[in-house]
Amino acid sequence: MSGGYAREPYSLRFYVATKCLEMSNSKNFSGFLEDVSRGLPLSWDWRQPVIIGVSGGADSLALLYSLAELSRGENNASVVVAHVEYDLRVEASCDRECVVQHAEQLGFPCYWKKCRVQSAQGAQQGDGTEALARRLRYDFFSELAFEIGARHVAVGHTRDDQAETILHRLLRGTGLGGVAGMPATRELSEGVSLVRPLLHIRRQQPRDFLQAIGQAWRDDESNQQLHFARNFLRHRVLAEVERGPYPAAVEALVRFGEQASAVMASRLQKIDAVIEKGVEQKNDGKILIHQKGIGDDSSIVPEALIEIWKRKGWPRQELSSKHLNQLTEMIFCGVLKGAPVPNAVDLPGGIHARLLAGGVSLQQK
């Protein structure tokens, strides 16, 4: 099975974990199912294959079991489990075996793939370990969705993950779009949506649900390593401020993200107009940004730049507000008053910016 997709055979499509039935009237069980069901988009269709990304941790495993239970009331529901085994931990094969076993006992096919992050990092300039692993995971999900005809891929991000994402991006120096956080649904690839049904649910709830049905989960020890930025924010920042002077810190960050998202919804129309009028895509991949086409509103340019990065698929992990402001000054050279701007600058991810008459060119080396 190594080196490619693996599919486990179907077993009877019912729970072998009888505690699910025993706990069906409990608050932890029924309330969690209602919360997950509420997080599914209107486009969700049980008659077509739905993919659940499962790592073996509590969040994704609770998502698996809750969707499995919800699917039981649907005719001809098709649920598929997907797992990525990274080469970052010696326990990774044990995680994969655990996920395969859970899928097998639920009667779902399981596809998994080994992804080599360590060897790929040298070829993927500008990406950190977390970003590269995420990219490889979503690439696999997209490939699998195309192969089996799935329209939805569900993952287990929670409300706490949302707060961490917003804080991480805010401290890194993102624009308004970044602090809007993760959307509940977004396009993963053409015709395929990435869905986050747990995004309005706090991290403790999936654990309570799994305990209620008697299912154990696997803990990734690397989630405790504080040299990872997200872990540092989770364990040393958010956890401590919630225990201390700001017990509602997670909720406050999420509300801030929701407000930013509402503002961005209308602002995106203006960003699209700016890109359409002021940005030119050349055949060789070069991007030309013309100040004349953008107009006089320099405040929207950093957000337009982020959108350009997204559309090009350029790595954004280390793209800070300093870089965005520097590019804005270059674009408006001779218009904005300030310090002299450079003729060229190298940006994270191998992006080279060069000053032109009336604008800037961007190209990935």
Side-chain angles (χ1 to χ4, degrees), residues 163-172 233 237-238 253:
E164 292 164 9
T165 297
I166 292 169
L167 183 58
H168 172 62
R169 292 176 178 176
L170 187 63
L171 294 175
R172 192 180 62 190
L233 292 177
V237 179
L238 281 173
L253 284 167

Side-chain angles (χ1 to χ4, degrees), residues 8 58 72 81 102 105 150 156 210 282 301 303 315 365:
E8 294 299 317
R72 295 175 69 193
V81 177
H102 282 288
Q105 75 178 25
L210 291 175
K282 307 298 286 186
V301 172
E303 295 162 52
K365 293 180 179 179

